[in-house]
Amino acid sequence: MGYREAALDCCSVVQSTLEKEMPKCLKSSVKYPQSVMVWGAISAAGVGPLCFIKGRVNAASYQEILEHFMLPSAEKLYGDEDFVFQHDLAPAHSAKTTGKWFTDHSITVLNWPANSPDLNPIENLWDIVKRKLRDARPNTLDELKAAIEASWASITPQQCHRLIASMPRLIEAVLSAKGFPTKY
């Protein structure tokens, strides 16, 4: 360790000793932050309701989410219009029984390439939600869920429309880059 590093270490020890009793210098931290898995739907018309998921997602639980959250979301967002559903190739999504569920419900699923989450507009929406949550400091699971719900509810249809409308540009950029990273 060089002299400069030793001096900095010494100063930080002295400073922390002096500040340890000053409330304005104390910063609370959560040693084991709460976490939750969430499913949500997006369309150019806006967002659907959230589903907070307990445990692991397998094909059966995913199909329950589709039944109880995606179908009502599609009804709200599209009415009787046809739509194309997009999800990634997670095992629960690509299971044969899930494919049969979509066939049985006459829902077209977008053929999606593996390892391409950056092209899915909902990933960009989750980034927006996470940015809105930065200043929230939930201490309990219920506080975290409430903060996520509030952030989700603040998403405007205009934001969703912009994200959906950006898809052709994103896909063109990936094709031009031959699958290599893009500015997006």
Side-chain angles (χ1 to χ4, degrees):
M1 181 183 304
Y3 176 78
R4 181 176 219 137
E5 290 169 293
L8 289 174
D9 288 343
C10 180
C11 289
S12 64
V13 169
V14 171
Q15 185 177 13
S16 66
T17 302
L18 295 173
E19 293 178 344
K20 74 178 183 180
E21 303 297 325
M22 298 173 63
K24 71 177 186 175
C25 295
L26 299 177
K27 180 180 175 185
S28 64
S29 65
V30 179
K31 190 169 185 175
Y32 302 103
Q34 297 290 329
S35 67
V36 65
M37 190 181 319
V38 184
W39 180 93
I42 176 180
S43 81
V47 297
L50 292 176
C51 173
F52 291 96
I53 301 167
K54 295 177 183 170
R56 298 183 62 117
V57 177
N58 59 28
S61 62
Y62 182 58
Q63 292 161 36
E64 286 290 317
I65 292 166
L66 294 171
E67 190 77 35
H68 298 290
F69 289 89
M70 189 278 285
L71 289 179
S73 292
E75 178 67 29
K76 173 187 162 204
L77 297 168
Y78 295 102
D80 291 335
E81 291 180 48
D82 288 337
F83 64 94
V84 176
F85 186 78
Q86 178 185 4
H87 57 182
D88 59 24
L89 296 175
H93 303 176
S94 58
K96 288 180 184 178
T97 58
T98 300
K100 182 179 178 334
W101 186 94
F102 280 105
T103 300
D104 291 348
H105 288 82
S106 302
I107 297 172
T108 302
V109 177
L110 182 64
N111 189 12
W112 200 245
N115 301 317
S116 58
D118 52 335
L119 294 178
N120 190 332
I122 201 164
E123 297 301 332
N124 294 317
L125 186 64
W126 287 124
D127 285 341
I128 292 168
V129 169
K130 288 175 188 175
R131 281 194 303 270
K132 290 180 179 211
L133 290 173
R134 275 190 197 142
D135 294 331
R137 301 240 187 254
N139 292 311
T140 67
L141 193 56
D142 288 338
E143 288 175 7
L144 176 60
K145 287 179 179 180
I148 292 168
E149 287 174 330
S151 177
W152 187 258
S154 73
I155 300 297
T156 66
Q158 294 80 10
Q159 286 175 297
C160 294
H161 186 268
R162 280 193 303 272
L163 289 171
I164 300 296
S166 72
M167 284 187 67
R169 187 178 65 247
L170 296 173
I171 291 169
E172 179 57 39
V174 170
L175 291 173
S176 294
K178 297 184 173 140
F180 286 96
T182 69
K183 68 178 183 174
Y184 301 106

